[in-house]
Amino acid sequence: MPEKISIKIDGAYVNATQGQTILEAARANGKYIPTLCYLEGLSAVGACRLCIVEVSGVGRLLPACTTPVQDGMSVTTNSEKLTRYRRMAVEFLFSERNHYCAICVSNGHCELQAMAQKLGVTYVGYPYSYPRLPVDVSHARFVLDHNRCILCTRCVRVCDEVEGAHVWDMTSRGIHAMITSDLNRPWGQSRTCTSCGKCVQVCPTGALAEKGFAVEEMTKCVDNITWLAVRRGGNQ
């Protein structure tokens, strides 16, 4: 049986289990830490950096989703410094791609948009990259708009760890990084895609969507995929 330990979160002692991450321990004790790339039941990758926390005695900010708890650890999840860095992370996400909320099918139902509102991001203080990115409409049911992708890799992980198809992966690096299917085949030509739609449902933005939806109409059922992933032991 996992060993029980005690850690301090925002000045309050809470119980945790050896092997848990800071994020898991915080959520188990009702403490909120923002995330975009994390999804319960899937492996954690620390891609979005929104879950960064301060740990006493450590000279740098740590991602809560991938940092294991240690007995006696003291964690700060909310501070002026953390809010400033989280806002920067969201601003970078907006500046790296072409996010036009007003004409997006996920407008009003977008996790990135909601996170920006929660953190008080009302403008982007960095130069926009305006990359020329394609939109893949080759699939019969779904569409992939690289302009709205935040590279959280939820789609990659759910396809691999829950559906078992591993259609998706990452290609290139930095500003040139993109989600790709079947070694850079158009999605509609994928030989491994089962058309299950799990990748679409876990996408936090309008990057993956069902065809036939207009502006503000694309809602997603992330909770259903989380329920399935947890019961399949996807991140074990």
Side-chain angles (χ1 to χ4, degrees):
M1 200 171 170
E3 178 186 354
K4 296 293 183 180
I5 60 176
S6 178
I7 66 173
K8 187 185 287 186
I9 300 181
D10 295 331
Y13 283 100
V14 300
N15 292 321
T17 303
Q18 196 73 45
Q20 276 186 322
T21 62
I22 293 175
L23 180 62
E24 290 170 335
R27 290 191 171 183
N29 288 277
K31 300 286 186 178
Y32 172 75
I33 298 177
T35 63
L36 277 177
C37 68
Y38 178 81
L39 197 65
E40 187 181 5
L42 302 182
S43 58
V45 295
C48 70
R49 267 355 198 212
L50 281 171
C51 69
I52 50 173
V53 294
E54 298 177 72
V55 176
S56 182
V58 178
R60 66 185 188 280
L61 302 179
L62 299 176
C65 67
T66 58
T67 303
V69 295
Q70 297 179 15
D71 194 28
M73 173 184 277
S74 180
V75 180
T76 299
T77 68
N78 187 23
S79 69
E80 185 178 334
K81 178 180 179 179
L82 289 172
T83 299
R84 184 170 69 254
Y85 276 91
R86 287 166 180 165
R87 285 175 179 165
M88 287 171 58
V90 170
E91 287 183 48
F92 279 131
L93 290 176
F94 277 108
S95 67
E96 287 176 351
R97 296 292 168 102
N98 305 308
H99 296 277
Y100 297 104
C101 298
I103 56 172
C104 181
V105 293
S106 290
N107 186 22
H109 310 287
C110 171
E111 292 182 43
L112 174 62
Q113 186 184 60
M115 186 62 66
Q117 293 170 343
K118 189 175 186 66
L119 293 174
V121 177
T122 56
Y123 66 93
V124 175
Y126 304 99
Y128 285 91
S129 300
Y130 296 117
R132 299 185 65 177
L133 297 173
V135 178
D136 186 348
V137 295
S138 61
H139 195 283
R141 292 178 53 200
F142 309 120
V143 59
L144 166 60
D145 186 347
H146 289 283
N147 294 281
R148 308 185 192 285
C149 179
I150 61 171
L151 303 174
C152 67
T153 70
R154 279 190 187 180
C155 58
V156 176
R157 288 173 284 148
V158 77
C159 187
D160 179 31
E161 299 168 12
V162 180
E163 181 62 14
H166 202 123
V167 174
W168 300 107
D169 221 318
M170 294 279 291
T171 182
S172 299
R173 289 187 173 189
I175 192 66
H176 303 293
M178 291 173 59
I179 297 298
T180 184
S181 60
D182 279 7
L183 297 177
N184 217 22
R185 278 197 179 99
W187 191 3
Q189 296 178 20
S190 170
R191 298 175 181 175
T192 55
C193 180
T194 63
S195 298
C196 68
K198 291 183 179 66
C199 58
V200 174
Q201 296 303 318
V202 300
C203 177
T205 68
L208 289 168
E210 292 184 49
K211 289 183 176 180
F213 285 88
V215 176
E216 301 184 11
E217 291 184 347
M218 183 73 239
T219 59
K220 299 179 180 181
C221 302
V222 181
D223 291 343
N224 292 347
I225 306 301
T226 299
W227 181 91
L228 183 61
V230 170
R231 279 149 186 79
R232 288 190 180 185
N235 64 347
Q236 302 299 317

